[in-house]
Amino acid sequence: MKILAIAGSLREKSYNRGLVRAARALAPAGMEIIEADISDIPLYNGDDDGDTQPAPVLALAEKVKEADALLFATPEYNYSIPGVLKNAIDWMSRVPGGIFAGKPAAIMGASMGGMGTSRSQYHLRQVLVFLDVHPLNKPEVFVSAAHEKCDDNGDLQDEKTREMIGKQLEALKVWAERLGE
Ligand SMILES: Cc1cc2nc3c(=O)[nH]c(=O)nc-3n(C[C@H](O)[C@H](O)[C@H](O)COP(=O)(O)O)c2cc1C
């Protein structure tokens, strides 16, 4: 089972990219997690959106198409999802064929605040409704005070959080298998 992980941060030492690295290490047998690169996705401009979309958008869209499921790791910016993540999703939603429709997904997120991206995750869920993505409901992974749970490179050091991620990935596997039947 191939999972495409999309982190909503471009920061090299991002806690959310750290969550994706932790997820890669914790993936259950039979699951491979690949991290998407959204750093080269241009800002959405309708003038560049016609019969085709910019090459980085099409390349990422291919990876979404090939994936059996998606894994989002989102920060929280002003109680919502970061612009870079929304921008990447918006561009890919313009690729003909509805690449997101029917995809299973899991959502996790790390922030420095006390709510652990719960508000941004629920905004992301709303966006996914229109794209017809099927996010896993439970277990949820909200990583609060991420600066205390990750080291200076953004790598997750907290055992309880690793456990939560492992459980979510197990549930995603079952969910994706169920939807793929
Ligand atoms: C513009 C901006 C808005 C932010 N808003 C929130 C917020 O609403 N809630 C929160 O918990 N943290 C907020 N933060 C702090 C982020 O949690 C923190 O920058 C986090 O490290 C971002 O994730 P990353 O490490 O993956 O880049 C904000 C940071 C920025 C730059």
Side-chain angles (χ1 to χ4, degrees):
M1 181 181 291
K2 233 172 157 181
I3 310 291
L4 184 70
I6 303 177
S9 175
L10 307 182
R11 209 163 69 84
E12 197 189 327
K13 294 174 180 176
S14 152
Y15 304 130
N16 287 280
R17 295 180 66 192
L19 289 190
V20 171
R21 285 192 296 280
R24 291 181 67 169
L26 292 163
M31 179 186 277
E32 185 196 4
I33 300 178
I34 300 155
E35 187 183 352
D37 179 8
I38 62 168
S39 65
D40 55 357
I41 303 288
L43 284 177
Y44 182 79
N45 181 339
D47 292 340
D48 301 328
D49 184 13
D51 294 337
T52 187
Q53 288 72 39
V57 175
L58 294 175
L60 187 55
E62 270 314 303
K63 289 187 177 158
V64 170
K65 277 189 218 168
E66 285 164 14
D68 298 301
L70 304 172
L71 173 64
F72 292 97
T74 184
E76 182 169 282
Y77 280 7
N78 300 312
Y79 288 12
S80 189
I81 57 175
V84 290
L85 178 58
K86 183 66 164 50
N87 181 63
I89 291 173
D90 289 344
W91 256 126
M92 284 191 287
S93 74
R94 300 292 301 159
V95 174
I99 62 165
F100 285 111
K103 290 274 174 201
I107 304 172
M108 56 179 63
S111 74
M112 288 162 66
M115 302 285 280
T117 72
S118 51
R119 292 166 291 219
S120 63
Q121 287 194 31
Y122 274 82
H123 274 188
L124 179 57
R125 282 180 185 271
Q126 183 180 331
V127 172
L128 297 182
V129 171
F130 184 67
L131 301 175
D132 208 13
V133 171
H134 300 307
L136 179 74
N137 283 338
K138 289 177 185 176
E140 297 176 302
V141 177
F142 300 126
V143 184
S144 58
H147 52 298
E148 292 170 9
K149 293 172 183 154
C150 299
D151 64 19
D152 291 345
N153 292 320
D155 285 311
L156 181 65
Q157 302 298 326
D158 184 64
E159 200 42 48
K160 231 175 159 185
T161 306
R162 292 170 66 82
E163 233 173 76
M164 278 163 48
I165 291 173
K167 282 184 187 160
Q168 191 190 59
L169 295 175
E170 290 281 358
L172 175 62
K173 193 174 173 209
V174 173
W175 180 232
E177 281 167 355
R178 222 169 104 187
L179 290 180
E181 276 169 8

